[in-house]
Amino acid sequence: MTEELIQKYKGHIKTKKTLFPNISNQKLNSYLKEIADLCRIKKNLTFHIARHTFATTITLSNGVPIETVSKLLGHSKIATTQIYARVIERKVSCDMGLLKKN
């Protein structure tokens, strides 16, 4: 499947130094809205939300080292990635508070 996608876009007019065509943030958000509509998702999906979810829910919450997440997100400073880690810490603290109440 991956190889098929790479071959599909090989030589595409919008692939200068990348494997896949670059699209604008506006166009990507438009596609995400269309996907959300098809899936009956009521939230407003955006690239920013997708990136945040990837960083917090998919990587950091599953034990991927913060240094790796930083590289994946293209951050030049680890401090930028640590913002996402603080979100995880707050969620853990909140969840533990709920557990304590029960």
Side-chain angles (χ1 to χ4, degrees):
M1 175 91 175
T2 306
E3 186 62 36
E4 290 172 18
L5 283 173
I6 291 170
Q7 291 305 315
K8 178 179 178 177
Y9 291 105
K10 194 174 189 172
H12 189 278
I13 202 163
K14 290 189 174 185
T15 55
K16 301 251 189 285
K17 296 180 180 179
T18 60
L19 286 175
F20 302 110
N22 287 324
I23 59 174
S24 69
N25 195 42
Q26 183 179 5
K27 190 67 177 169
L28 180 58
N29 287 340
S30 174
Y31 288 145
L32 288 172
K33 181 177 175 12
E34 190 175 332
I35 291 168
D37 289 344
L38 290 171
C39 296
R40 298 186 181 126
I41 296 171
K42 301 296 181 206
K43 285 190 172 198
N44 182 29
L45 298 185
T46 64
F47 179 73
H48 176 76
I49 290 171
R51 185 174 163 86
H52 184 82
T53 300
F54 172 76
T56 56
T57 306
I58 297 172
T59 58
L60 292 172
S61 292
N62 286 298
V64 175
I66 196 162
E67 296 83 4
T68 303
V69 177
S70 185
K71 290 275 187 199
L72 290 169
L73 294 175
H75 294 160
S76 56
K77 296 180 182 175
I78 198 88
T80 306
T81 314
Q82 287 171 333
I83 294 165
Y84 294 103
R86 280 190 220 103
V87 171
I88 299 296
E89 289 170 18
R90 267 187 279 154
K91 175 78 171 113
V92 168
S93 180
C94 181
D95 290 347
M96 292 308 290
L98 292 173
L99 182 62
K100 187 177 180 181
K101 287 180 183 179
N102 292 328

